[in-house]
Amino acid sequence: MKFNLVLVAIVATILGIGLEGCHCKMVQFIFGDSLSDVGNNMHLSKSLAQASLPWYGIDLGNGLPNGRFSNGRTVSDIIGDKLGLPRPPAVLDPSLTEEVILENGVNYASGGGGILNETGSYFIEKLSLDKQIELFQGTQKLVQGKIGKKAADKFFKEASYVVALGSNDFINNYLMPVYPDSWTYNDETFMDYLIGTLERQLMLLHSLGARKLMVFGLAPMGCIPLQRVLSTTGNCREKTNKLALNFNKAGSKLVNDLVEQLPNAKYRFGDTYDFVYDLISNPIKYGFENSDTPCCSFGRIRPSLTCVPASTLCKDRSKYVFWDEYHPSDSANELIANELIKKFGFSHDDQSGAPSPAPAVAPAPED
């Protein structure tokens, strides 16, 4: 028996696999909301935040809905592609296995989800950041059972992490009178509550092995079509934009503080507010024709909130900054992703992969 164990150890060493371990790829674990969701909400049958109907996904793969709240790719898709990383599948995908996790990582993002558990509650079902982290802990147990704790710890410490939430905590919580947070807090106290919660969550992720982590800042939320149409002038809502600016300021400070406090934490904050504001204010400068209304809309009935089969599509999706009332188009996501790559300081050598492009000319479907 001892001889057999020795023989197994020798063979394992020669093959380079070890008794507890694997040659694991660099993968991503993505935590986010609808801007990063790749299908989790499609598996939440009661969720009202869905991208499961045409024309979502029209410019990606087979053109059918895939759970992304866009006509094409998410910002996280594009960044990962350009860095040569595999696209993580949705954690709720029933085909997810330990092998798939080791090869591709996992995406926990959920439309309507927020940093706060109460955010987006009127969507009925969604995954808050706390719930996403809980699912990540389940992922860790699966991987540990597959390759052993030592190898799993190494795998998770070498992985890349993305945390991209916050807009729903304002748009689908604090700024809506139906939520208690809207009358419980003022701007300052709500921000303290939000950032304090995020601090706890980022520290928990660090304790679970997250060492290379990117936090996405907020864009000018007051300029999304939904906010414009709810204003009396049709212009950007400055109060909403100010909240985004304050979040970015506090979020950046938090990340910098955590880098100082937590061992081996390579945390970075990506603030693209100014870039996206310029993109919306000067669309022609970036090759767009429209930056204030969605490409997919329900005629003059606005806000229609989501894109549905009865919606009308713009003639050229590549010329619109926004796909629906909330979310940017694939073309806009491409520019935002490139800006984040600059902000995060990735070198040209890091960008070994190539994105799956949306069509250069994207006409509307024929009737």
Side-chain angles (χ1 to χ4, degrees):
M1 180 64 72
K2 289 184 179 179
F3 174 77
N4 289 339
L5 288 174
V6 172
L7 181 60
V8 170
I10 292 173
V11 171
T13 301
I14 292 173
L15 294 177
I17 59 176
L19 288 173
E20 186 186 64
C22 69
H23 287 297
C24 300
K25 295 170 61 177
M26 171 71 76
V27 300
Q28 295 184 90
F29 294 97
I30 296 175
F31 304 86
D33 52 29
S34 58
L35 295 173
S36 305
D37 193 345
V38 296
N40 281 311
N41 278 27
M42 293 181 75
H43 300 289
L44 296 174
S45 60
K46 297 179 182 178
S47 177
L48 299 181
Q50 291 284 350
S52 56
L53 295 172
W55 305 98
Y56 288 103
I58 190 173
D59 293 317
L60 186 66
N62 59 11
L64 298 176
N66 53 61
R68 289 169 172 81
F69 289 75
S70 175
N71 60 308
R73 302 159 295 169
T74 69
V75 168
S76 294
D77 282 335
I78 298 167
I79 292 176
D81 288 344
K82 294 197 173 190
L83 298 180
L85 298 172
R87 290 184 181 175
V91 67
L92 299 184
D93 187 330
S95 66
L96 188 69
T97 63
E98 294 91 333
E99 290 80 5
V100 172
I101 295 169
L102 290 168
E103 282 290 313
N104 301 284
V106 183
N107 184 309
Y108 304 88
S110 171
I115 293 168
L116 304 175
N117 292 321
E118 61 267 30
T119 289
S121 60
Y122 74 80
F123 292 125
I124 302 177
E125 279 190 309
K126 43 74 188 178
L127 304 176
S128 66
L129 182 51
D130 277 339
K131 183 61 178 179
Q132 292 178 35
I133 295 174
E134 181 182 323
L135 290 169
F136 173 63
Q137 290 174 297
T139 299
Q140 290 192 311
K141 291 178 181 177
L142 286 176
V143 173
Q144 288 170 4
K146 181 71 175 179
I147 64 174
K149 188 176 187 308
K150 183 177 179 181
D153 288 348
K154 183 175 185 293
F155 170 68
F156 287 109
K157 285 182 178 179
E158 291 181 349
S160 177
Y161 296 79
V162 171
V163 174
L165 303 94
S167 59
N168 282 318
D169 294 292
F170 296 102
I171 295 173
N172 290 309
N173 183 354
Y174 179 64
L175 293 173
M176 295 187 69
V178 296
Y179 287 93
D181 285 355
S182 68
W183 66 78
T184 303
Y185 300 95
N186 59 36
D187 290 0
E188 183 178 349
T189 57
F190 181 75
M191 194 68 66
D192 290 342
Y193 171 40
L194 187 63
I195 294 298
T197 303
L198 180 60
E199 179 180 18
R200 171 181 59 78
Q201 292 160 334
L202 294 181
M203 292 181 72
L204 175 57
L205 282 173
H206 182 273
S207 74
L208 296 172
R211 295 296 181 266
K212 290 175 283 187
L213 186 145
M214 298 173 285
V215 178
F216 290 6
L218 299 185
M221 304 179 297
C223 294
I224 66 174
L226 173 68
Q227 290 288 298
R228 283 179 181 267
V229 78
L230 293 178
S231 71
T232 56
T233 62
N235 296 325
C236 297
R237 302 181 80 177
E238 292 309 315
K239 172 181 170 61
T240 309
N241 282 347
K242 184 178 179 181
L243 289 170
L245 285 167
N246 289 341
F247 176 89
N248 290 346
K249 181 179 179 180
S252 178
K253 182 180 184 303
L254 169 62
V255 169
N256 290 335
D257 289 346
L258 290 178
V259 169
E260 295 293 325
Q261 298 171 20
L262 302 176
N264 302 313
K266 297 178 180 178
Y267 289 7
R268 288 180 276 194
F269 188 86
D271 184 353
T272 61
Y273 181 97
D274 291 341
F275 172 79
V276 177
Y277 189 85
D278 191 51
L279 169 63
I280 293 170
S281 302
N282 303 289
I284 295 175
K285 172 182 173 182
Y286 298 92
F288 293 89
E289 296 174 356
N290 184 300
S291 63
D292 56 11
T293 58
C295 171
C296 185
S297 63
F298 200 61
R300 295 184 179 181
I301 302 175
R302 293 189 58 210
S304 57
L305 301 185
T306 59
C307 183
V308 297
S311 297
T312 302
L313 299 189
C314 60
K315 291 183 178 180
D316 188 345
R317 297 185 287 280
S318 68
K319 300 299 182 182
Y320 273 63
V321 172
F322 289 98
W323 165 244
D324 64 12
E325 299 284 0
Y326 290 96
H327 309 99
S329 65
D330 179 278
S331 297
N333 280 339
E334 174 95 46
L335 296 185
I336 296 168
N338 288 339
E339 183 67 14
L340 276 169
I341 286 173
K342 293 179 185 176
K343 292 287 185 180
F344 288 131
F346 295 131
S347 67
H348 181 73
D349 292 339
D350 292 325
Q351 302 170 35
S352 57
S356 302
V361 178
E366 296 180 3
D367 296 329

